[in-house]
Structures are given as C-alpha cells and as structure tokens.
Amino acid sequence: MTPTNKNIMKAVLAITGGFLVHLTLGTVYTYGNMTPYITSYIRKYSSPSNLSYSQSLWVYALEVSGQGLAMFVGGIVETKIGSRWAALLGGWFMSAGVLLSYFTVKSSFGVFLTTYGIMFGIGVGLAYAPPLNCAMKWMPGRKGLANGIVVAGFGGGAFIFDQIQTEFLNPGNLPANTTFHEHPKEKYFDQEEVLSNLPDCFLLLGLLYAFMQLVGSLLLYTTPDSRDGEYIPFLPNNDPAAETCSDSEDNHISKDLLERNEESQSYTPKEMLLSTKFYFLWFTFFFNGVVVMYISTLYKAYGETFITSDKFLATVGALAAICNAGGRIIWGMFMDRFSYRMAMLVISISTAVLQLTYILTPEGGETMYLIWVCLMFLMFSGNYALFPTAIAKAYGPKYVSINYGLVFTSQVAATPIGAFLATQIKDSLGWFGFFGVTGAISVLSAVLASFTKI
C-alpha cells in the first residue's frame, strides 16, 4: 500500500527529530576540543593542580561507560513510556549534568567526573537507542540508511559545538602557552581571559542541549498503519512487521499480526547471549571503542605539540565531525549494499594504517594532520551505523534497543581500560609507541570481523 503524504511527512519529522536529539548526544565528541580548557582550568583554579591530559581521559571514559550501562536500561524504559519520552528523559538528564558542571569544575576533578562524566553518560545512554528504533520502524527496508541518518547527528554534534565552545572560551585565538616539567611535551592554557569563561560555557551548552532535546523528542512520531491492520512503511519493508515508536495509545497495528511476525524473526536478549556471534560483535566493539576514545579525545592534545593556532585545531575538529556524521550514512548504505563483515574489515584495516602513520603528520604539517584526523573520524564513525544495524539484522527488530544495549556494554569495559592503558603507554612510550599500540588493536578488530558473517 502506498503511504499517504501525511505519513511521509511524519516519517521525515520523526527521523529529523532523532537526528536532532543525537546532535546533542554526540557532543560527547567535543570532549577532545574541551580537554585542554578543562584540564588547564582544573590545574590552575581547582584540584588536583598536576592533572594531565592522560588522566583527564577519565571524563570521557565515564561518559561512555555511563552510556553503556544506561543504554540497556533505556531500551527497557522505551518499552514502558515510548521513544518520545525515553529520549527526552535521557536527554534532560544529560543536560542537567552539563549545567551542574558549572559548580563542580570549580570544586575538584573528582566531583566534576560525577556531573560531566557519569551524569552526561547515563543521559546519553538512556536517550540513544529510542530514536534509532523509531527510525528503523519508519524505514524497515533500509535499516542501515535509517540508522545512518540518525547517528549522523551524533557524529555531527561536534561540528556545531566545537565552534561554539572555542569562540566562547577563546575568542582571541590565544595559543596554549604553558608546559610543566612532569609533562614537557604537553601544552596547557594559563591565560585568565580563556579559563575564566569555562564555567559559564557549561551553562550555555546545557541550556542549548535541553531546548534541542525537547524539540527533537516531540518530533518522534509513531509509525502509521492502515485501517485493515497492515503496516504502511515509509520505504519498502523487508521485515513483515514493526512496532510503533511512541506511546501505547497511538498503537493501532494489528496485535496478532505484530506478535506472529516478531516471534518468528526476533531473538530475546537471553537467546542472543547464547549465540557465538554476539561475542564476536561484543569484542570487536570493545577493541574499536578503545581506539575511538584515543582518536576523539587526544587529537587536539597531539596537534598542539606542533600546531599553535587554537582556532585551526577547532576547525579540524569541526571538519572531522562532518566526516563522523557523513561517514555514518555512508557506512550504513555500504552495509545495506554489501555486509557487516565487509564494512568492518575496511574500517578496521584503514584505521590501523592511519594510526601507524599518524606520527608522520608533523612532517606533513597542518594539511597532513587535517587529512589524517578527518580520515580517522570517517573510519570510526562506521561503528555506530554498523552495530545497531547488525543487531537488527541478526536478531530481529522486537528487542533491538535492549539487544544493542547489551552489545554496547563493551564500551563500559573499553573506556576505563583504555584510560588506564593510556596513562601507562603514553607516559612510557610517548606518542610513537601509543599510536603503534592503537594500530595493533585495530588489527585485532579486523581479525574478529573476518569471522563474523552478517
């Protein structure tokens, strides 16, 4: 049956709403841009006074760990209150963490970890999967593309907010101007006209996030149905049925048809945990998560070792965010056309090559650095289009939010382990050894992907 113009408009609005919510959630990637300001501020005005960039990775580690722990819960919450309110609940919890960071950054790094790390991450986890689930139900025959469009917002958040942060914090484009004997190759800001803006920046960001999350969540419309109970998809449906994506009173799909088709093609979380394929996916995501953390949080700190323009580095982050956003759509379409295994092999092998040659970027100057950072963001963006799509294809649509949440628990382990290793490896081996280790980790991901047929 042909979808009506009204249903097409609702589909477009629902997918746009998901994109908008993810645009705010994806500001987790702005931590790489914020790291020099936050670390420098805490060193000068808060405690501890000897905080290093490697130690500050714990903020990102807790963000992603909180996301991993809460994503499973978010899937359960979605089944109770619908995608719309689950997304808003999680989004506003995240925004509350950002707003409270106005106070905690002045107190200590430990307290700051609670708001900008744990609260931020839990909010992202609660709000992450519901918009994806909603989008896939509007486009059941193009799950990869649907996921790619929504998570493009997650990847693109840094494109907008890196610029807002840098312009607000450092409008004069002052360079990081201080080094310390315990970390002689790291540069920090010491200028009061830069660092004094940081607390107010959290207020600005928190209010912007909350408003965007409200608008985006309200656009998460339910999937349509026809009067005789057949589901009308926005794009051709390869799946026999799909659920609605919001409140239960809006659900008019034939209950018998829905249950019959979902039972035949969907695995419960318990059944998924009993399959070997789940563990290949989990460990691939684990290794990739470690590498993603290093790329997204340390690109600016590394760039500052040979580049003096703060605004250029912010521009690099913004362009990398475009690659992160666009890459999710590209990789989603690539998987629809080929397979998860083929896409993940290309991503992992390419990332390994880029990491192993990253140390050469000072020789090529700003241009080579820009290209390498953008390519790395383009590669790792594929993870967030491929894994939810792979889960939906391998285990069915009924429990996709919960099942993807279980796969995402890999990040709960990956980020703290990665943060611990970063301190040990970087301090003992320097940047060269650090990039060598990350390249080897990407090779392990490629090996696992080669055995995963999806």
Side-chain angles (χ1 to χ4, degrees), residues 13-49:
L13 290 174
I15 293 170
T16 301
F19 176 89
L20 194 61
V21 171
H22 270 243
L23 202 65
T24 67
L25 306 182
T27 55
V28 65
Y29 290 125
T30 66
Y31 188 70
N33 184 57
M34 291 285 280
T35 299
Y37 307 120
I38 292 171
T39 309
S40 300
Y41 181 94
I42 291 174
R43 288 183 70 106
K44 185 170 184 178
Y45 297 115
S46 187
S47 65
S49 60

Side-chain angles (χ1 to χ4, degrees), residues 97-211:
V98 177
L99 290 168
L100 289 173
S101 296
Y102 170 86
F103 303 101
T104 60
V105 75
K106 301 176 183 179
S107 176
S108 70
F109 182 60
V111 181
F112 181 71
L113 286 172
T114 303
T115 58
Y116 207 67
I118 297 172
M119 285 186 67
F120 193 114
I122 289 174
V124 172
L126 292 172
Y128 189 94
L132 293 177
N133 198 19
C134 184
M136 284 192 288
K137 289 167 184 173
W138 280 105
M139 301 171 64
R142 297 289 187 274
K143 287 185 174 70
L145 177 59
N147 278 323
I149 293 173
V150 174
V151 296
F154 199 95
F159 170 70
I160 297 172
F161 287 99
D162 272 358
Q163 300 301 309
I164 293 174
Q165 292 164 355
T166 302
E167 190 60 35
F168 188 88
L169 291 165
N170 190 10
N173 194 27
L174 299 176
N177 63 339
T178 302
T179 58
F180 297 92
H181 69 276
E182 67 266 28
H183 301 288
K185 294 185 179 181
E186 295 181 356
K187 292 184 178 181
Y188 299 86
F189 288 96
D190 189 53
Q191 303 93 324
E192 184 176 354
E193 59 265 45
V194 175
L195 300 181
S196 62
N197 295 325
L198 183 63
D200 290 337
C201 186
F202 291 124
L203 295 180
L204 172 66
L205 295 174
L207 292 173
L208 286 174
Y209 297 161
F211 175 74

Side-chain angles (χ1 to χ4, degrees), residues 164-414:
I164 293 174
Q165 292 164 355
T166 302
E167 190 60 35
F168 188 88
L169 291 165
N170 190 10
N173 194 27
L174 299 176
N177 63 339
T178 302
T179 58
F180 297 92
H181 69 276
E182 67 266 28
H183 301 288
K185 294 185 179 181
E186 295 181 356
K187 292 184 178 181
Y188 299 86
F189 288 96
D190 189 53
Q191 303 93 324
E192 184 176 354
E193 59 265 45
V194 175
L195 300 181
S196 62
N197 295 325
L198 183 63
D200 290 337
C201 186
F202 291 124
L203 295 180
L204 172 66
L205 295 174
L207 292 173
L208 286 174
Y209 297 161
F211 175 74
M212 293 170 65
Q213 288 156 355
L214 174 63
V215 174
S217 297
L218 293 177
L219 292 177
L220 294 178
Y221 288 100
T222 61
T223 46
D225 62 285
S226 66
R227 298 191 179 192
D228 62 3
E230 287 188 20
Y231 172 57
I232 306 176
F234 175 48
L235 286 181
N237 188 2
N238 289 344
D239 297 327
E243 295 180 288
T244 59
C245 58
S246 189
D247 300 334
S248 59
E249 66 258 30
D250 293 326
N251 180 5
H252 305 296
I253 297 178
S254 168
K255 184 176 179 181
D256 290 340
L257 177 66
L258 181 64
E259 292 179 350
R260 181 171 65 252
N261 284 290
E262 286 188 333
E263 274 186 19
S264 67
Q265 65 180 12
S266 293
Y267 290 73
T268 66
K270 182 177 180 181
E271 290 171 334
M272 182 183 72
L273 290 172
L274 294 175
S275 70
T276 304
K277 191 176 296 180
F278 165 79
Y279 295 96
F280 277 94
L281 291 169
W282 195 94
F283 278 102
T284 303
F285 208 0
F286 169 83
F287 289 125
N288 287 353
V290 173
V291 176
V292 169
M293 180 179 70
Y294 294 154
I295 293 172
S296 61
T297 59
L298 292 177
Y299 76 90
K300 189 171 184 177
Y302 176 60
E304 285 178 341
T305 62
F306 62 97
I307 296 172
T308 59
S309 174
D310 193 44
K311 288 194 173 179
F312 173 78
L313 292 170
T315 301
V316 171
L319 294 175
I322 294 177
C323 294
N324 192 0
R328 296 171 187 234
I329 299 175
I330 293 169
W331 289 114
M333 296 174 66
F334 188 98
M335 181 174 171
D336 283 340
R337 176 66 178 84
F338 297 100
S339 66
Y340 160 84
R341 179 167 62 176
M342 177 66 70
M344 187 54 65
L345 280 171
V346 174
I347 288 171
S348 299
I349 293 171
S350 299
T351 301
V353 172
L354 290 166
Q355 285 291 296
L356 293 171
T357 56
Y358 198 15
I359 197 67
L360 301 176
T361 54
E363 304 300 322
E366 293 181 349
T367 301
M368 183 176 178
Y369 171 79
L370 169 64
I371 293 171
W372 252 242
V373 172
C374 287
L375 286 175
M376 287 189 291
F377 273 72
L378 179 66
M379 291 302 125
F380 83 60
S381 68
N383 289 283
Y384 306 100
L386 298 188
F387 282 105
T389 307
I391 292 299
K393 287 190 173 184
Y395 300 107
K398 185 175 182 180
Y399 304 101
V400 66
S401 293
I402 300 174
N403 287 343
Y404 180 51
L406 288 172
V407 173
F408 205 90
T409 59
S410 60
Q411 306 308 287
V412 178

